[in-house]
């Protein structure tokens, strides 16, 4: 049996939990990353996604054999003309498949 869950990006700071999740056969975590843009995260008060660099956190989770699925929001009040490209770049760098 494989397990999945939803968690905050902060889970990357808890490597003991990630180890236990790997042992329990968790294969996927959905994380509401929302946007790779720090100013937008601050505006929506989602500062927990700023505690660690997002790409580093995703990489940490992946090292435990757990794939990250991400929620990304387009159309935030803080979006700029650069936002679509920032999201595309983030998707490529993070290797998040969905």
């Amino acid at each position: 049996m494989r397990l999945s869950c939803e968690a905050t990006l902060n889970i990357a700071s808890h490597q003991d939990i990630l180890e236990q999740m790997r042992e329990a056969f968790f294969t996927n975590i959905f994380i509401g990353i929302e946007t790779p843009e720090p100013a937008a995260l601050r505006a929506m008060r989602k500062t927990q996604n700023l505690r660690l660099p997002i790409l580093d956190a995703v990489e940490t989770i992946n090292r435990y054999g757990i794939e990250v699925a991400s929620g990304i929001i387009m159309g935030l009040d803080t979006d700029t003309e650069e936002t679509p490209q920032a999201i595309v770049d983030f998707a490529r760098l993070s290797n998040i498949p969905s």
Side-chain angles (χ1 to χ4, degrees):
M1 176 169 52
R2 295 181 181 156
L3 300 171
S4 63
C5 68
E6 182 174 343
T8 69
L9 202 55
N10 295 334
I11 199 162
S13 297
H14 301 282
Q15 296 183 25
D16 55 327
I17 293 173
L18 291 170
E19 178 62 36
Q20 292 174 34
M21 290 176 73
R22 175 174 52 195
E23 291 173 11
F25 300 106
F26 275 82
T27 58
N28 301 81
I29 296 177
F30 175 84
I31 297 175
I33 292 174
E34 317 310 352
T35 179
E37 297 183 319
L41 291 169
R42 281 194 274 301
M44 68 173 71
R45 295 188 177 106
K46 186 128 183 168
T47 55
Q48 69 268 21
N49 283 0
L50 297 172
R51 291 182 187 147
L52 296 171
I54 295 173
L55 291 173
D56 292 351
V58 170
E59 183 180 315
T60 296
I61 295 166
N62 289 160
R63 277 198 310 269
Y64 286 87
I66 301 171
E67 183 177 87
V68 174
S70 172
I72 299 288
I73 300 173
M74 287 286 296
L76 297 168
D77 291 344
T78 56
D79 283 358
T80 66
E81 290 182 17
E82 292 79 28
T83 297
Q85 188 61 51
I87 291 172
V88 168
D89 293 344
F90 170 76
R92 287 187 181 136
L93 289 170
S94 68
N95 292 313
I96 294 175
S98 59

